[in-house]
């Protein structure tokens, strides 16, 4: 009788182990299947007008949303107009500009390698992603604002019912983007972006090709802003925009909620 008892316990344990293993496997596959994919588009422009100084993307505006989304299981792909290593603004790498996210990025060999090998924007297809995010920095004012591939990509995402998000100077991408009726994409929509007062504070009003705030208003956007350098983000349908570097994670939070 004792042997039969042990045999019964063994069979029962095996059945329970198998059942648990099956559930975990199914759950794992389900989670993998639900993984969202977000495309990050970075500038390839590195010259700050005719000043002789360098510019590019602002590291914090990339790193903070990157890790916020990645830590939530979002799969992120990086692209830029020229592909390869996009330039970063040297000022965003200064000691006073460092945050926990920028420090994490510098120590993250995989992320650094991914950044060095961004996809060329002309090879990217909207159908492969659930949303697009544009980090700022002054670079986008010169290239992404008028880049034909970027414009087509943004319009494709929007027309497919997918979120389009941008922070700080990156709302410059809405300069030439159009809705299906041919009007500016931001017309009649609530938006924000780097304010005129913030541009004046960094003494680049006369250097940049245009002011983000003024352009958004001229295109019919319903522009609003918070206090200079404070977190402020606006969501209107599929458009999510942030005012300045401090707003980058807030934009990512709104984007994640939109994806879920």
């Amino acid at each position: 009788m004792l042997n039969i008892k042990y045999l019964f316990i063994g069979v029962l344990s095996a059945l329970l182990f198998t059942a648990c293993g099956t559930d975990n496997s199914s759950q794992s596959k389900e989670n993998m299947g639900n993984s969202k994919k977000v495309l990050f588009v970075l500038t390839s422009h590195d010259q700050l007008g005719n000043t002789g100084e360098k510019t590019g993307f602002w590291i914090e505006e990339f790193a903070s949303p990157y890790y916020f989304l990645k830590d939530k299981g979002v799969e992120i792909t990086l692209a830029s107009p020229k592909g390869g290593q996009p330039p970063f603004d040297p000022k965003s790498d200064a000691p006073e500009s460092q945050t926990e996210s920028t420090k994490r990025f510098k120590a993250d060999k995989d992320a650094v390698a991914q950044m060095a090998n961004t996809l060329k924007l002309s090879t990217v297809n909207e159908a492969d992603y659930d949303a697009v995010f544009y980090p700022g920095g002054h670079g986008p004012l010169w290239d992404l604002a008028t880049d034909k591939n970027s414009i087509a990509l943004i319009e494709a995402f929007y027309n497919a019912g997918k979120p389009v998000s941008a922070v700080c100077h990156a709302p410059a991408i809405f300069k030439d983007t159009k809705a299906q009726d041919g009007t500016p994409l931001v017309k009649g929509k609530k938006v924000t972006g780097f304010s005129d007062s913030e541009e004046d504070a960094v003494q680049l009003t006369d250097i940049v090709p245009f002011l983000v705030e003024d352009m958004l208003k001229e295109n019919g956007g319903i522009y609003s802003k918070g206090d200079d350098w404070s977190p402020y983000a606006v969501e209107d349908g599929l458009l999510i925009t942030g005012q300045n570097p401090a707003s980058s994670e807030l934009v990512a939070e709104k984007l994640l909620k939109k994806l879920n």
Side-chain angles (χ1 to χ4, degrees):
M1 290 293 292
L2 189 61
N3 290 337
I4 294 175
K5 179 181 178 181
Y6 285 138
L7 178 62
F8 175 76
I9 293 173
V11 171
L12 181 61
S13 298
L15 287 172
L16 288 172
F17 179 81
T18 302
C20 291
T22 301
D23 288 346
N24 289 340
S25 176
S26 298
Q27 185 177 7
S28 176
K29 289 178 181 178
E30 184 179 351
N31 289 340
M32 288 176 64
N34 289 337
S35 178
K36 299 297 183 180
K37 297 180 179 180
V38 175
L39 177 71
F40 274 44
V41 181
L42 299 114
T43 181
S44 290
H45 186 86
D46 69 350
Q47 297 296 316
L48 189 62
N50 297 319
T51 64
E53 296 182 21
K54 293 289 187 180
T55 190
F57 73 91
W58 198 264
I59 299 176
E60 162 65 12
E61 294 171 30
F62 158 77
S64 183
Y66 178 84
Y67 287 113
F68 178 85
L69 294 171
K70 189 173 182 179
D71 289 347
K72 304 297 189 299
V74 175
E75 185 178 330
I76 298 172
T77 298
L78 308 183
S80 62
K82 295 181 180 179
Q85 176 69 55
F88 61 84
D89 190 315
K91 292 179 181 178
S92 71
D93 196 34
E96 62 271 19
S97 300
Q98 299 308 301
T99 66
E100 291 304 313
S101 294
T102 63
K103 293 174 184 177
R104 181 177 173 183
F105 171 64
K106 287 184 178 182
D108 188 341
K109 293 181 180 179
D110 290 338
V112 170
Q114 185 182 12
M115 177 67 73
N117 294 281
T118 65
L119 300 178
K120 194 170 183 179
L121 201 54
S122 60
T123 68
V124 173
N125 189 334
E126 159 272 320
D128 296 329
Y129 307 95
D130 299 297
V132 63
F133 174 79
Y134 282 76
H138 281 86
L141 295 172
W142 278 274
D143 64 351
L144 291 173
T146 56
D147 185 275
K148 292 181 179 179
N149 292 311
S150 179
I151 292 169
L153 191 68
I154 293 166
E155 292 173 349
F157 269 95
Y158 190 85
N159 293 335
K162 298 176 180 180
V164 177
S165 52
V167 65
C168 199
H169 285 89
I173 62 173
F174 299 120
K175 181 176 182 292
D176 294 333
T177 50
K178 306 291 184 183
Q180 288 181 311
D181 63 1
T183 60
L185 188 61
V186 298
K187 184 178 180 179
K189 298 181 180 68
K190 298 175 183 178
V191 290
T192 190
F194 204 60
S195 67
D196 289 356
S197 56
E198 288 168 319
E199 199 69 80
D200 186 59
V202 296
Q203 300 180 347
L204 291 175
T205 299
D206 296 328
I207 303 299
V208 294
F210 62 90
L211 298 172
V212 175
E213 177 182 339
D214 289 355
M215 178 276 292
L216 292 172
K217 290 178 178 177
E218 289 167 6
N219 277 0
I222 305 171
Y223 180 88
S224 63
K225 64 178 182 178
D227 294 335
D228 286 359
W229 316 115
S230 298
Y232 185 77
V234 174
E235 178 181 344
D236 192 333
L238 296 172
L239 299 185
I240 304 172
T241 49
Q243 181 179 330
N244 47 38
S247 310
S248 57
E249 187 167 305
L250 185 55
V251 172
E253 291 176 6
K254 290 181 177 294
L255 177 58
L256 185 64
K257 288 180 182 178
K258 180 72 72 175
L259 288 172
N260 292 333

